[in-house]
Amino acid sequence: MKRLYRSYSESTNIFKELEAKYPNYFKIESIGNTWEKREINLITISKNIKTADSKPALFYTGTIHAREWIGHELAIEFAIYVLKNLETDPTLQTYLNESTVYMVPCANPDGYEYSRKHFSFWRKNRRQNADGTYGVDLNRNFPIGFVKSTATTSNVYGGPEPFSEPETQALRDFVLAHSNITIALDYHSQGNVFFPAHDFRHEDTIDTTDMNTLCANMAEEIRKISGREYGIHQGKPPAKLISGSGREFYYSNGIISSVVEVGTRNISDYMEDMNENIREHIPALIYALKEVDNYDKNNVMRRVNSFNATEIGSNHVNLKWDYELNEDIYFEIFRSTKDKQFCNSSNLITKTQSLEFNDINLSSNKDYYYNIRVVNKKTNQKSPFYPQIKIRTLIEYDEYSRTYFANAKGTGYVAENLNNNPSHFGVNSLFVGVDDNKGISYAVISINVKSLPANAIIKLASINLYPINRVSTTIEKYGEWNIGLVNQETMGDITNFDDVDNMQIIRYVGRPTESHQLTQGIWRNWILSGLECNDLKKSIKNDTIVLRVEGPKELRIGRTKQMMQWDIGYGSFGFGLAYRPRLELTYTIEPTTTTLYAKSIKTVSKAEVIDDVITAGFDEEGNKIYSTFQFNLSSLPPYNDTMITKAYFELNSTKIYIKDDIRFHLEFVDENINKNFEDITNREVIQNIGYDVSATELKNNQTQYFMFDTFSEIILNEKLKSKSDISFVLKPTSAVKIIKNKTVSWEVSNNSLCPKLILEHIPKRRFSVEKVTNAKLSLENGKIKISWTNPKNPDFKGAKVIKNPFRKPLSAQDGQKLYAGVDEYTLDDFGATDIDKYYAIFTYDDVPNYSQAVILEYVPK
């Protein structure tokens, strides 16, 4: 028994007192009786208790597992908080005027009291089974996915049949009688993670984005209070899914539903941990209440009819959607840089009444996630979300991108107290941290980077691990997890604990992940700094990078484990190859420098045109004197395989004597311009190159560099296509109204000082290879087979297959990745055969450039 935790009878008395004090806002009633004849309490909170059942509602259940006390305690404190603040908090008044809260604070009163008084970690109810054992796991006793079992002593024994227990019958009857319930939250412990509902078919549903976003917004409210980061994980193959839970039953009745796993222990230290867990979840629940009205079955605000990315560049994305417009509605679009992120005011990028939006000033080669919903500006009611768009912006013209996955044989974990460490490589999860059984555990990750050029300059790098389970991280805010670059010269045997323990670490990379940042179901990224990118490159040996992942190495007295589990992608514990540890690189290579000398130089004045002289300024009548330069690009490599990455123009002035306020501008102009005074005076300028220089600056520095900006470099690259001439004009200006007979000259005859156009360029394909051909769908052994024929182009590196149930994937990231490689078929191993969906096949080269998608539509027969 823990003194600060309330008994079931104490909470009943608290609720009765609240009902007496706030009769207009609060009600307690019984919805059934347990095996031991305890009443199952249901409490209702609303701005007007008499009309509560007519409003959309949040349904909360807690402590369906006896040892998970957080649900009971949170319900008590949430009710007290809301009632205490309802009359003074306008936000609560608004939410509870529009919505209702139903709470079953303790769905397992018998088991809870048994856990309090006799066996702390009792989980089931107190049914006496036919064989004399006790208990049914109430969260396995619902019908969706129910598994028949005779193992009555098991903690997950689901009972003789669905709804065999009075507790689950009471929950069923209440939910079926209250069609106004729109959101259901089932509170458990432990893990600091949300588990949204699924339908056992391993496919995203139309409301997957809704559930993920609801959970993400609740998680953000938690983070603001305590800094704690919650994971979000919907069941994915080939992981075993929980059977017969209340969450799926509620979801099967059209209710947005999630389990909420709180804290790091079933029964936490109340003052140190539980109190904080309660405090951070009250605003999270208030946020959920805010969304209740938006998921009302009678909500006239429907989600948009479609949502697509129609164009993707290196720094922009064009979005379009379809909806019937009227003056009372507008659209909110949210952008995130991680999957399963919140949608709130901090990442709301536009409110618009248009049906398209151009998002600009993005970073190249970066993942972005877009969500959209409709808002009624009069009522402020919002629609559900349309399924999320995922894109990756293109790389810049001087960049390449690589994704490297962990090598199975060189990736695994070693533990201090285990003798079979070699067997942990390629077939298991990565256990990192410390516990009583394993002792200290390290993960070793080997990544082959053979395709990375020797002259690569790494601009950006991140190491990414997928957290598969954090339930064994049981100490709040204790320890951190780091990734180190291993010095392979002194590495030893990576399957031997002592050798791994004694590895020399060149440097730790990225920011450490602290225990309160550990999540489940959301990728964890270690982003490398510039210096760390340099060391990453230096650490390569035999085309391989080796990393060591480490966590805490000591335990507090009385604690048995602080162990994190990361996915390896392989084996029975992995979620599939897409979840392997991966290294993401953006890099460029050392450029080749080509110096071009002018094909033609002229000085053009009103009076004359002089060849091979560079003079600019003003003549005796105050007319401008120009100099022109023409270069030819034919000496550069072919356009299709070359990118000009940097360009600058060099001039060297002769002795300068003038002191007047004269400035000189270098202009990029059309190469077909006539070299006469009239045409030069009326020229059309493509772009100014660099910045103007003054006569004073010329005195102090003989050499001037005019640097091309990004736009000028783009135009220069376009000129390379035709290997045409390019032209420049040197123009004088002055702030003085009239200035006469003032000129400056530049060197021409001296080869080292004459005008030069200096270009840096790299070999890089500009365009993708051809699309696949003969693409088709078929059924094979109950699975959808996608097959195609690869192009014969020698630059072809592979085909990538993406699945999306909601739209044609025009981006190679917009959906679930099924395959990437050189084969000519793949299987949708876990895909449902009774759901419409699209498959997209992209080819790619080594840049990579992706081809346009070949789209296949699957329609069940």
Side-chain angles (χ1 to χ4, degrees), residues 797-813:
K797 294 300 179 184
K800 184 175 183 180
V801 182
I802 294 291
K803 175 176 71 172
N804 193 312
F806 313 109
R807 57 180 159 261
K808 297 176 181 180
L810 302 180
S811 160
Q813 276 69 40

Side-chain angles (χ1 to χ4, degrees), residues 1 7 11 105 153 157 165 177 216 241 262 268 285 368 456 499 557 563 593 736:
M1 185 184 299
S7 69
S11 70
T153 59
Y157 170 58
E165 306 309 294
L241 299 176
V262 180
S268 297
L285 280 169
Y368 290 97
D499 284 356
I557 294 174
M563 185 75 74
T593 301
V736 179

